[in-house]
Amino acid sequence: MTDARSSSSFPTIKAVKTFVTEGVGSGGDYHNVAGGHWLIDSPISTPMSKWEEYKKSRTSWGINVLGSFCVEIEASDGTKGFATGFGGPPACWLVQQHFERFLIGKDPRDTNDLFELMYRGSMFYGRKGLPVAVISVIDLALWDLLGKIRGEPVYKMIGGATRKRLDFYCTGPEPAAAKEMGFIGAKVPLPYVADEGQSGLLKNIAFLKKHREAVGPDFPLRVDCYMSLNVPYTIELVSRAKEEGLHIDWWEEVLSPDDFDGFQQLKRAHPDTKFTTGEHEYSRYGFRKLIEGRNVDILQPDVMWVGGMTELLKVAAMASAYDLPVVPHASGPYSYHFVVSQHNSPFQEYLANSPDGKSVLPVFGDLFLDEPIPEKGYLDVSVLDKPGFGLTLNPNARLVDASGLLGMKPGKA
């Protein structure tokens, strides 16, 4: 007997709506949090840290300027898919005025074709950055819709389970707290930028030494450098860390995302050291050179930025041919469904969302009623066994309908 859902009567896309979130602490913009939160107001080395006035808080240079936004896609049978990401009002405008035309009336199962329509249709101003991040959220809403129509969790539609338990490492300001909470490793942000010279380098070493002593010699300790270093500085920093016996498990995003060739120099200088990157890279095209160069040890795409689940699966397929692990950047349950379906994704990051980084809270704040969070550093895969991404929108979520939010519309011939 033929399943009606797989025939020509499968629901089509009827409507697309967008929302922004009101206030802070809700939705897919990690940095749209209240003042004093470790993510924005603790010493973190960034590309802007070379300027004194932009060093103290990451909000001073606008890391939270866009804010969260959400996409709701309704099918002809009334089923709705929903997803969140970052982009705020500009993202909503792109959905309404550009990408919607590629979606209405289409079969939501055609994720590859829908991605290509949006990606190629925006290539003249996109390829990376905000346009691809917007496409990502649309794509995630499509996968959520498909799962709800089919009554299946997303991970079952992209390959099924490869394990029964998902382990996490924690990114936050206190690795010792991460260890205490049961995480399998911890990642801490580097506080001083390359432009702060030798004194900053010595402070970085002292900072890392303090955390190594706090977690003991064998607990995996990783360092997030947030695109703020350069090749000579990184080589010296890694050398000093080795001399001090700090045993850093990996150095993350030490260079600008555009400095592909710099990683070759780093691996030549430190062939026994793991370097990771990819958080701020976009699409399979952006990852192609990273993968083929074999100069990074782990890829870290963000599924809310890279192009959504559809594009992340392509990146993962390329990486698997090189035995290159893919450990996604944050993204909460969207990443969880991906990781449990992939043999070359050994574990997942949990980005500490509590103000002090010492407790476990939902990644998306109060947006959903039932966002799964790791307990004692892991998650039982059975928790993900709900249709779509398994997230129930909070009826009290601070959503603002973005229909006509910016007022003007582009002219039409």
Side-chain angles (χ1 to χ4, degrees), residues 230-251:
N230 54 45
V231 171
Y233 185 92
T234 302
I235 291 174
E236 184 176 1
L237 179 64
V238 173
S239 295
R240 287 294 188 103
K242 289 179 179 179
E243 290 170 7
E244 294 288 338
L246 299 183
H247 304 296
I248 302 302
D249 188 47
W250 77 53
W251 298 87

Side-chain angles (χ1 to χ4, degrees), residues 3 27 45 55 100 148 168 193 204 235 245 251 295 314 362 381:
D3 184 351
S45 177
K55 186 186 299 184
E100 182 184 90
K148 289 175 178 175
F168 291 79
V193 73
N204 278 332
I235 291 174
W251 298 87
N295 293 312
K314 294 180 172 67
V381 173

